[in-house]
Amino acid sequence: MRVLESGHANSLKNGVIYSPQEEKRIVKELNDQAESNLQEGNLYYVVSSRWFIGWQRYTEQEGEDCEMNGNTADLPNPAERPGPIDNSDLILNVNGGDADNLELLRTLEEGQHYVLVPEEVWKKLLEWYNGGPPLPRKLISQGAINKKFNVEVYPLSLKLTDSRDNSQSDISFSKKASTLELYEKVCALKGLPQDKVQIWDYFNEKKQCILVPSGNKTLEDANLQMDQHILFEVRTVGEVSAGLGVLSTGNELALVPMEPSRSAVTIAGGPSFTNGYSTRYSSNLYSGLSTSSTAENGGHDSNGSQKKKEKGGLAGLQNLGNTCFMNSALQCLFHTAPLVEYFLQNYTDEINKQNPLGMHGELAISFGDLLREMWSSGRTSIAPRHFKGKLARFAPQFSGYNQHDSQELLAFLLDGLHEDLNRVKQKPYIEMKDSDGRPDEEYAEECWRSHKARNDSIIVDTCQGQYKSTLVCPVCNKISITFDPFMYLSLPLPSMTNRTMTVTVLYTNGVGLPMPYTVTVSKHGCCRDLIQALGTACCLKTDESLLLAEVDMLYIVYDHKIYRYMESAMESLSSIKDDEHIVAYRVPKKLGLKKLEIVHQSTEKKLLGSPLVTYLQEEPQTVADVWIAITSILSPLRKAHVPLSKNHSEKENGSLSGGNDETENGFINDSAECKCSSDLPFQLTVTEDRLSSIGRQIDDDYVRSSSFLRVTLHWTDNVHELYDISYLEDFPEVCKSGFTAKKTRQEAVSLFSCMDAFLKEEPLGPDDMWYCPNCKEHRQASKKLDLWKLPEILVIHLKRFSYSRYFKNKLDTFVSFPIQNLELDKYVKEKDSSNVPYMYELYAISNHYGGLGGGHYSAYAKLIEEDKWYHFDDSHVSPVSEADIKTSAAYVLFYRRVKVEAKSEARG
């Protein structure tokens, strides 16, 4: 370790600072210790990714030279030591609120906006860098079957309504907090004993049920949702609220709802505290169901009378906090005819509670209850709280309030429903045999029988098909054939090889205004390819090159500053996201120049515009040279017919206006006369780092001693009178995207081309080698998939999301898919003696609008009896024309096989 000079040690204990490598080692050791001792209740801290990435770059510097003379200035392009930890870009109440109860912005994503560090790592970072504010979060255990630890980044926020005066206040708890803890905190807040109060689940501002204080029931178990209301009431001794009974369960009261917590048509027998099943219901699939809905779902009129009977299948699903992905997937399944028929009947005998791979039947019951409510509530919007609770219990990866993937949820639901409804109670052990040259028909049938012997459910009956997988060893040509079941097809979109990128090019010698250029490059290319394309577009001179940089226009911390220079020509373009702002500076190739970076600040201390970059000769210089450089580079921004000042009128015809006489080969010539800084309208201070601008004036010592000058230009009223900052604002994103689904037929690919890409023979990846039984070694075999048999319900997933080490991307390619008459005979290898064609009709679509980590999901679904399409957008349901359902937002397609006459033997 090394000791800083006293002027730089204010934020460190005893003025001691570790080298980058030592900091990295210490943090790694502390991380490893935390990972080896995961316990519920451990503290983790939320840290801004912007700051943490800077720290990572600083600590990833190679070599012992980082410690030379106590600084890194002599290294080529050294990463700066970051300033104080700054989490201000993560919190909602930056300038107010309780420092111990700061609220995070709801749109944050781990990795993109923040990282989580163990408590001991936070303590070290705080010791080394100071800053904050601290954002501690607890580690909780989730999952009823496969428990896993998660950091609860967003605690449960509830709106407490006091029935006495209707006042409201916000309180926060862990979702794992008990209802007893809820009572303790609320009673302490109100100054009343527990036996004098009762707290209601007040979801949708309607009384659902009383939350009874219990140390064994968590707020998650009670299905409380983020930002929902709870109602505080003071009761008299012996008072029992209307609609409630008292159940004795030892020393505490059981949770008793006002009305059944699920639809009255449930086969699971009403309220959640019962264990029996009701078998009294059966109905025609599409007839209107006249039943009572739950109180939470608003199924009754205000006077308690039942609503008028309406047709089912048109109920919306309320968004419970970024649950549009769930609502979209559920609406598609709720309009899958075989599933609707099945769950509207009595399926009691098929619930498999003993299956270790299932969820004790709870997922199937909750799904069935919600489906029945959906088909019985007319057009009333439903809040799927109970189902969301079950989902969080058995699939914690979908818990919380972040956006998730509707296809991943669909995969979990189909598999989970299958296991909960598996008719096979005891799965036999079956040893799979090789094909050994047998005919495909014989071996495929044997594999299917073996699969059905262990897996037999409504999901297998309707949604599972079979494909043939062929592996060929590249060395010995050994052929391995297997026949495997599938629940859905994930089709790749044929590779779009090119990418359109918009970059703003800026001069560094003050001879022109910034200009955006849109170029087309290989999406798998590198920065060198982008530089070459831009150089051609902007007519780059032979003595110039381009320096790419990312200017952060989106975040508070680096707003309007250069976040990073992309100086490696081989950096992958996949590291540049579509919503970033990239600039390219035209820099001189001449050696021996000193870089000057200029950021702009208003009188309100807010940064504005895009930074400018220019170059000075690397020789003894003074502050006057910096003034000349800044005046010259700003010259294109000069407002017409406005002189600088009386003192500078003689410069009007020089390069301070035109940028020609005082610039040579792209750098500022310091031979020009310069007035003293007091004559100029500018105020300059030194920018010490990316996080703060220290208000000390620049001086000759700073100019001469620094290899890289960074200054802040303060835009006073006088400067605004002379120059137009708007030329440096509103630079375009790399690729502008929006929530509106594109219908650009020019980029269209057909569903059949996606199917061809899926079935194309290709080599296995180096991380997915196949063990050849002949060679006794792992080989990079070639793999070929073929469809053997197709199911009644065919689910097709369009793989719009792509992931790499540096980048996640979404393809908005328009896929042209048939609505009727999707014939797949040519893809099916099974020989069917009946010659009945594999003909399909579209009945539902899960749509995704926008980009990764956000956006919005909705669904299109067809009421088959009406032959009409509807748009299900969370709670809102509206008719939609069949002509409008084909968009580039289509993500998961649902097809049903239709009965058509057998083809003639003489076909083809």
Side-chain angles (χ1 to χ4, degrees):
M1 62 185 175
R2 52 192 170 87
V3 179
L4 291 179
E5 297 176 6
S6 59
H8 296 274
N10 296 332
S11 65
L12 302 169
K13 290 185 177 181
N14 303 320
V16 175
I17 183 172
Y18 291 94
S19 71
Q21 291 72 29
E22 288 172 322
E23 287 189 15
K24 182 179 180 181
R25 175 186 58 79
I26 292 171
V27 167
K28 183 180 184 304
E29 290 175 355
L30 293 176
N31 267 321
D32 292 342
Q33 290 174 14
E35 288 294 316
S36 64
N37 188 34
L38 293 178
Q39 294 181 7
E40 194 162 13
N42 286 359
L43 280 183
Y44 279 72
Y45 282 75
V46 181
V47 179
S48 170
S49 286
R50 293 291 178 175
W51 184 89
F52 194 75
I53 289 173
W55 177 83
Q56 284 182 316
R57 287 177 177 154
Y58 169 68
T59 58
E60 286 173 0
Q61 296 177 113
E62 300 291 339
E64 298 181 358
D65 290 338
C66 292
E67 296 182 71
M68 278 193 312
N69 301 321
N71 62 66
T72 59
D74 297 325
L75 291 175
N77 303 320
E80 294 180 345
R81 177 178 171 81
I85 301 169
D86 192 330
N87 288 330
S88 61
D89 59 328
L90 304 181
I91 55 181
L92 191 59
N93 43 349
V94 178
N95 297 318
D98 183 1
D100 296 326
N101 194 29
L102 295 174
E103 184 178 354
L104 294 179
L105 294 168
R106 292 288 178 87
T107 56
L108 303 179
E109 284 192 60
E110 184 178 359
Q112 181 179 350
H113 301 106
Y114 68 88
V115 297
L116 296 167
V117 300
E119 182 177 17
E120 295 304 317
V121 171
W122 168 258
K123 289 179 179 178
K124 276 296 177 187
L125 294 176
L126 195 63
E127 174 187 325
W128 295 333
Y129 294 95
N130 284 345
L135 301 170
R137 295 296 185 267
K138 286 185 178 180
L139 194 69
I140 62 174
S141 175
Q142 291 184 284
I145 297 177
N146 299 316
K147 289 190 177 294
K148 59 181 294 187
F149 289 109
N150 287 313
V151 176
E152 190 177 27
V153 176
Y154 290 98
L156 184 63
S157 179
L158 300 172
K159 298 184 182 300
L160 176 65
T161 300
D162 192 325
S163 63
R164 296 172 295 181
D165 57 7
N166 287 325
S167 62
Q168 289 190 3
S169 56
D170 294 332
I171 54 176
S172 296
F173 295 88
S174 168
K175 67 182 71 173
K176 293 298 183 180
S178 67
T179 54
L180 178 60
E181 293 175 82
L182 172 66
Y183 268 80
E184 291 172 345
K185 185 170 183 176
V186 171
C187 289
L189 184 67
K190 298 297 182 179
L192 290 171
Q194 288 187 29
D195 58 357
K196 293 293 181 69
V197 306
Q198 60 188 18
I199 301 175
W200 287 84
D201 176 353
Y202 201 46
F203 184 77
N204 280 348
E205 298 189 66
K206 295 180 181 179
K207 289 183 176 181
Q208 309 295 334
C209 61
I210 286 182
L211 301 169
V212 180
S214 167
N216 298 322
K217 189 176 188 67
T218 68
L219 303 184
E220 184 178 43
D221 295 336
N223 293 322
L224 298 187
Q225 304 299 312
M226 179 72 83
D227 296 328
Q228 81 154 72
H229 290 79
I230 56 175
L231 181 66
F232 170 83
E233 285 185 342
V234 179
R235 61 184 179 184
T236 59
V237 177
E239 175 187 1
V240 179
S241 298
L244 292 178
V246 179
L247 295 183
S248 176
T249 57
N251 296 322
E252 57 193 32
L253 293 175
L255 180 76
V256 185
M258 289 181 63
E259 300 177 5
S261 63
R262 298 189 291 268
S263 168
V265 299
T266 175
I267 67 159
S272 59
F273 53 80
T274 65
N275 296 318
Y277 298 118
S278 166
T279 60
R280 59 183 174 83
Y281 178 78
S282 83
S283 168
N284 181 275
L285 174 58
Y286 297 111
S287 64
L289 306 178
S290 179
T291 68
S292 63
S293 297
T294 69
E296 80 174 49
N297 300 331
H300 284 65
D301 293 325
S302 58
N303 61 5
S305 62
Q306 288 187 354
K307 289 187 175 180
K308 183 180 178 181
K309 170 177 157 181
E310 295 183 79
K311 60 189 174 185
L314 292 178
L317 295 173
Q318 291 184 30
N319 193 314
L320 303 178
N322 268 339
T323 56
C324 58
F325 77 99
M326 181 182 78
N327 295 344
S328 173
L330 287 175
Q331 290 289 8
C332 292
L333 294 180
F334 288 167
H335 290 83
T336 299
L339 297 184
V340 177
E341 291 177 354
Y342 178 86
F343 282 100
L344 288 184
Q345 304 301 319
N346 178 15
Y347 58 96
T348 306
D349 293 339
E350 296 199 343
I351 295 176
N352 190 337
K353 290 189 172 184
Q354 288 74 44
N355 187 353
L357 299 179
M359 279 137 277
H360 316 302
E362 293 183 40
L363 180 68
I365 293 172
S366 184
F367 178 87
D369 288 351
L370 187 56
L371 181 146
R372 286 167 174 252
E373 192 169 6
M374 162 81 182
W375 282 93
S376 67
S377 62
R379 293 177 179 268
T380 302
S381 177
I382 298 170
R385 291 201 300 163
H386 185 271
F387 181 81
K388 183 177 184 291
K390 291 296 182 185
L391 194 63
R393 173 174 164 80
F394 293 108
Q397 65 269 31
F398 297 115
S399 64
Y401 301 94
N402 286 333
Q403 187 67 275
H404 296 284
D405 191 316
S406 68
Q407 186 274 331
E408 291 178 0
L409 175 62
L410 280 165
F412 168 79
L413 287 178
L414 290 174
D415 186 63
L417 291 174
H418 158 65
E419 297 295 355
D420 268 6
L421 299 170
N422 197 344
R423 302 174 186 116
V424 180
K425 309 302 182 185
Q426 296 292 331
K427 294 188 177 184
Y429 172 76
I430 299 175
E431 184 176 354
M432 296 303 298
K433 301 176 182 178
D434 293 333
S435 60
D436 291 331
R438 288 180 287 168
D440 283 349
E441 292 76 11
E442 177 186 336
Y443 186 50
E445 181 60 27
E446 178 184 302
C447 292
W448 187 251
R449 285 197 309 268
S450 298
H451 174 65
K452 288 277 287 184
R454 294 172 54 84
N455 302 276
D456 185 17
S457 70
I458 179 65
I459 304 300
V460 175
D461 295 343
T462 59
C463 299
Q464 284 198 353
Q466 187 182 33
Y467 61 78
K468 173 185 176 183
S469 176
T470 304
L471 292 172
V472 180
C473 177
V475 177
C476 69
N477 292 322
K478 163 69 178 177
I479 298 176
S480 173
I481 295 176
T482 58
F483 288 87
D484 302 300
F486 67 84
M487 201 99 69
Y488 53 87
L489 298 177
S490 287
L491 305 187
L493 274 60
S495 178
M496 308 297 289
T497 58
N498 292 330
R499 180 184 181 190
T500 299
M501 304 181 72
T502 299
V503 177
T504 303
V505 177
L506 296 94
Y507 287 89
T508 59
N509 56 7
V511 299
L513 291 169
M515 180 67 65
Y517 292 90
T518 299
V519 296
T520 301
V521 293
S522 170
K523 72 174 184 178
H524 302 298
C526 56
C527 287
R528 178 182 59 191
D529 303 317
L530 178 59
I531 289 172
Q532 289 176 349
L534 287 172
T536 301
C538 72
C539 300
L540 196 68
K541 297 179 180 179
T542 56
D543 60 351
E544 292 179 309
S545 62
L546 290 176
L547 173 62
L548 297 175
E550 177 188 348
V551 176
D552 196 333
M553 299 284 192
L554 301 176
Y555 293 92
I556 297 173
V557 177
Y558 288 92
D559 198 16
H560 299 281
K561 294 182 180 180
I562 292 175
Y563 174 57
R564 64 184 178 120
Y565 289 102
M566 288 168 275
E567 296 178 293
S568 172
M570 300 311 296
E571 179 176 345
S572 173
L573 292 181
S574 63
S575 67
I576 302 176
K577 298 180 181 179
D578 285 346
D579 61 354
E580 291 177 345
H581 296 81
I582 302 299
V583 298
Y585 296 103
R586 301 177 67 138
V587 301
K589 289 183 178 179
K590 184 175 181 179
L591 300 177
L593 302 180
K594 180 181 294 188
K595 185 191 297 182
L596 169 61
E597 181 183 300
I598 307 155
V599 296
H600 313 276
Q601 189 176 72
S602 69
T603 54
E604 291 82 18
K605 304 302 181 183
K606 294 182 179 179
L607 296 182
L608 62 158
S610 174
L612 295 172
V613 171
T614 187
Y615 286 81
L616 308 176
Q617 293 189 37
E618 187 72 85
E619 59 185 42
Q621 295 180 346
T622 65
V623 175
D625 300 303
V626 175
W627 291 115
I628 292 176
I630 292 177
T631 305
S632 179
I633 199 171
L634 288 177
S635 60
L637 311 184
R638 283 283 307 282
K639 294 181 179 179
H641 312 300
V642 180
L644 274 173
S645 68
K646 180 179 179 180
N647 293 333
H648 292 82
S649 59
E650 67 265 26
K651 296 291 183 181
E652 284 297 310
N653 297 321
S655 66
L656 297 186
S657 296
N660 296 318
D661 297 333
E662 293 182 8
T663 61
E664 179 182 348
N665 296 327
F667 67 90
I668 306 300
N669 189 329
D670 68 352
S671 62
E673 176 186 0
C674 180
K675 302 291 184 181
C676 66
S677 61
S678 62
D679 294 332
L680 292 169
F682 311 131
Q683 294 179 16
L684 288 181
T685 56
V686 176
T687 305
E688 293 290 356
D689 53 53
R690 289 176 178 157
L691 296 177
S692 63
S693 177
I694 297 178
R696 68 183 180 95
Q697 299 291 321
I698 63 171
D699 52 33
D700 290 347
D701 287 341
Y702 170 72
V703 174
R704 293 191 181 106
S705 63
S706 301
S707 59
F708 175 19
L709 302 177
R710 308 178 71 200
V711 300
T712 298
L713 171 61
H714 298 267
W715 282 71
T716 61
D717 292 340
N718 290 337
V719 180
H720 278 291
E721 290 177 4
L722 296 172
Y723 299 100
D724 189 351
I725 188 66
S726 66
Y727 289 114
L728 301 179
E729 294 180 328
D730 299 324
F731 286 179
E733 298 175 356
V734 170
C735 183
K736 184 68 176 176
S737 61
F739 282 80
T740 303
K742 300 175 185 176
K743 294 187 179 182
T744 308
R745 297 309 196 266
Q746 298 172 351
E747 299 178 359
V749 298
S750 73
L751 184 64
F752 297 105
S753 63
C754 297
M755 187 73 76
D756 292 336
F758 174 69
L759 299 175
K760 181 181 178 181
E761 182 176 358
E762 59 184 6
L764 296 176
D767 298 327
D768 191 26
M769 306 280 272
W770 171 64
Y771 183 79
C772 176
N774 274 4
C775 300
K776 309 296 184 185
E777 289 188 25
H778 286 89
R779 300 295 190 192
Q780 193 170 0
S782 63
K783 183 177 183 178
K784 174 73 169 71
L785 290 178
D786 292 295
L787 301 180
W788 188 257
K789 72 167 62 180
L790 295 180
E792 178 184 353
I793 298 298
L794 180 61
V795 181
I796 297 178
H797 164 224
L798 302 176
K799 297 175 69 174
R800 294 195 176 277
F801 301 113
S802 60
Y803 305 87
S804 70
R805 179 180 177 186
Y806 303 102
F807 187 54
K808 296 187 293 185
N809 189 34
K810 181 193 173 188
L811 295 175
D812 283 318
T813 307
F814 180 87
V815 178
S816 178
F817 49 86
I819 297 176
Q820 290 93 19
N821 302 323
L822 172 62
E823 186 174 355
L824 298 175
D825 284 34
K826 67 177 182 177
Y827 296 107
V828 181
K829 299 302 181 182
E830 181 183 36
K831 297 177 181 178
D832 187 353
S833 58
S834 66
N835 284 330
V836 177
Y838 282 96
M839 189 72 72
Y840 288 86
E841 176 186 70
L842 187 73
Y843 70 87
I845 307 172
S846 176
N847 299 305
H848 180 267
Y849 304 86
L852 275 170
H856 181 63
Y857 286 92
S858 71
Y860 293 130
K862 184 178 183 181
L863 285 188
I864 298 174
E865 188 178 67
E866 293 185 3
D867 195 28
K868 290 183 179 179
W869 283 88
Y870 290 87
H871 184 207
F872 294 84
D873 188 0
D874 289 331
S875 299
H876 184 70
V877 181
S878 58
V880 63
S881 166
E882 184 174 277
D884 292 331
I885 66 172
K886 296 174 69 171
T887 73
S888 62
Y891 183 43
V892 185
L893 308 175
F894 290 75
Y895 284 92
R896 68 184 188 100
R897 191 174 181 183
V898 293
K899 295 180 180 180
V900 294
E901 294 183 2
K903 291 187 177 182
S904 169
E905 291 288 345
R907 65 177 179 170

